[in-house]
Amino acid sequence: MVATTGAALEEKKRAENFPVALRILPRDLRRDLGAVYDVVRVIDDLGDESAGDATAALLRFRKDLARAWEGAPQEPVLRRLVPTIRARRLDREPFDRLVLANLQDQRITRYATQAELEAYCALSANPVGRIVLRIFGAESADSSAAARASDLVCTALQLLEHCQDVAEDRRKGRIYLPQEDLKAFSVPEEDLDAVSASRGLRGVVAAQTGKAQDQLRQGAVLVSQVHGWARPAISGYVAGGLATADALRRARWDVLSATPRPRKRDVLRHLAVLMVWGGRR
């Protein structure tokens, strides 16, 4: 059984860097985005917080996930997803990729290169963007361009989260900073156990943040490619990423003393710019 409660899911929504579902969105869109978020969050929690065998728990959940398309799932979080699947004609494949990412986490705890890390993001983050595009019906308009831009945004958001969570991931035995970067900045893994970030580690975090910002700026063109309610929603995701980069910079890249969190006013500032300029600046 999935142990994540509704209250815990709501708390995790509030802790995200970006608004999961803007309050201005119509109720049906907020409901469907929330239903997807809850499933994504439960998959991650099974991979990160299972009391027993995480691999077995993920495989059980994947089997029940299939029932959301083929029959009647047992888990309440999946039963809540069924109306969204039907209303938005969601594909199962992106959800399966999210499970695969968490199964990979049980086997792989280091990534040698940026390319390997971003290949992991293609499993762990990019599918969420594809699902969101389907919910807003944005795939029908130049879908290949929209999908490419969405992947850039989602990978960037994942890279920024990795930077924020260096200490937490280290406690779980995982490192999502490329080994090539740690080597280039002369950062031994033991530096990740310190109470504050070394100069070298700050350099790695700054470099990763820069790569994420570049991808966010490229992917922000998605804002001008979508219409209707998709525009403010996707602007909110990009704005949350840009505000997270601001937070990392404000912390001078020290991600060990405390977790840098974006300020709401920074999210709103970036959101306003994106809504006016459509991500073209």
Side-chain angles (χ1 to χ4, degrees), residues 97 118 121-123 125-131 133 139 143-159 215-216 218-219 222:
R97 286 167 64 194
E118 293 189 14
C121 293
L123 287 177
N126 297 4
V128 178
R130 302 296 185 95
I131 296 167
L133 287 179
E139 285 190 332
S143 61
S144 60
R148 286 194 299 271
S150 173
D151 288 350
L152 285 168
V153 170
C154 291
T155 290
L157 293 175
Q158 183 77 85
L159 295 178
Q215 294 200 28
L216 271 180
Q218 294 175 56
L222 180 60

Side-chain angles (χ1 to χ4, degrees), residues 47-48 105-106 108-110 166 169-170 172-176:
D48 291 342
D105 280 334
Q106 313 312 311
I108 300 175
T109 59
R110 308 287 190 279
V166 168
D169 291 333
R170 175 65 172 171
K172 296 174 182 175
R174 300 174 188 160
I175 298 175
Y176 291 109

Side-chain angles (χ1 to χ4, degrees), residues 1-2 38-40 42-43 46 55-67 75 77-78 95 99:
M1 295 292 290
V2 176
D38 289 349
V39 172
V40 173
V42 166
I43 292 171
L46 287 172
T55 296
L58 286 163
L59 291 174
R60 285 195 298 271
F61 190 82
R62 183 168 67 175
K63 185 178 293 186
D64 201 28
L65 178 65
R67 296 190 187 103
E75 292 292 348
V77 72
L78 291 175
F95 293 92
V99 176

Side-chain angles (χ1 to χ4, degrees), residues 11-72:
E11 182 63 29
K12 290 180 179 184
K13 281 189 185 115
R14 288 191 289 271
E16 289 288 357
N17 293 326
F18 50 84
V20 172
L22 290 171
R23 293 183 183 277
I24 63 171
L25 296 179
R27 182 178 298 178
D28 61 332
L29 283 171
R30 285 189 283 116
R31 179 200 63 215
D32 291 340
L33 290 169
V36 168
Y37 174 86
D38 289 349
V39 172
V40 173
R41 188 71 263 170
V42 166
I43 292 171
D44 283 349
D45 288 349
L46 287 172
D48 291 342
E49 301 173 10
S50 291
D53 186 337
T55 296
L58 286 163
L59 291 174
R60 285 195 298 271
F61 190 82
R62 183 168 67 175
K63 185 178 293 186
D64 201 28
L65 178 65
R67 296 190 187 103
W69 279 265
E70 300 167 1

Side-chain angles (χ1 to χ4, degrees), residues 46-261:
L46 287 172
D48 291 342
E49 301 173 10
S50 291
D53 186 337
T55 296
L58 286 163
L59 291 174
R60 285 195 298 271
F61 190 82
R62 183 168 67 175
K63 185 178 293 186
D64 201 28
L65 178 65
R67 296 190 187 103
W69 279 265
E70 300 167 1
Q74 298 175 359
E75 292 292 348
V77 72
L78 291 175
R79 290 201 295 269
R80 292 195 297 271
L81 181 66
V82 170
T84 298
I85 290 172
R86 293 174 180 167
R88 307 295 178 180
R89 299 183 180 180
L90 299 185
D91 295 328
R92 176 180 159 189
E93 187 265 347
F95 293 92
D96 282 338
R97 286 167 64 194
L98 295 171
V99 176
L100 287 174
N102 280 270
L103 287 169
Q104 183 169 306
D105 280 334
Q106 313 312 311
R107 300 179 291 105
I108 300 175
T109 59
R110 308 287 190 279
Y111 292 90
T113 66
Q114 187 74 23
E116 289 183 8
L117 180 62
E118 293 189 14
Y120 166 75
C121 293
L123 287 177
S124 65
N126 297 4
V128 178
R130 302 296 185 95
I131 296 167
V132 169
L133 287 179
R134 178 62 66 87
I135 286 176
F136 283 103
E139 285 190 332
S140 60
D142 198 3
S143 61
S144 60
R148 286 194 299 271
S150 173
D151 288 350
L152 285 168
V153 170
C154 291
T155 290
L157 293 175
Q158 183 77 85
L159 295 178
L160 290 166
E161 186 174 335
H162 289 161
C163 289
Q164 289 176 286
D165 294 344
V166 168
E168 179 183 342
D169 291 333
R170 175 65 172 171
R171 288 192 292 271
K172 296 174 182 175
R174 300 174 188 160
I175 298 175
Y176 291 109
L177 300 173
Q179 296 293 301
E180 63 183 4
D181 282 13
L182 295 176
K183 183 177 180 180
F185 285 87
S186 301
V187 181
E189 288 193 5
E190 292 74 21
D191 279 12
L192 276 61
D193 299 319
V195 295
S196 62
S198 65
R199 181 177 179 180
L201 179 55
R202 291 173 194 243
V204 174
V205 172
Q208 280 294 295
T209 301
K211 293 170 187 175
Q213 281 185 293
D214 287 344
Q215 294 200 28
L216 271 180
R217 293 186 181 112
Q218 294 175 56
V221 69
L222 180 60
V223 174
S224 65
Q225 294 173 341
V226 297
H227 306 282
W229 290 112
R231 187 174 172 120
I234 291 170
S235 294
Y237 303 144
V238 177
L242 292 170
T244 301
D246 292 340
L248 288 161
R249 187 178 298 104
R250 193 166 54 248
R252 299 184 179 182
W253 319 114
D254 183 0
V255 292
L256 299 184
S257 297
T259 301
R261 296 293 183 195

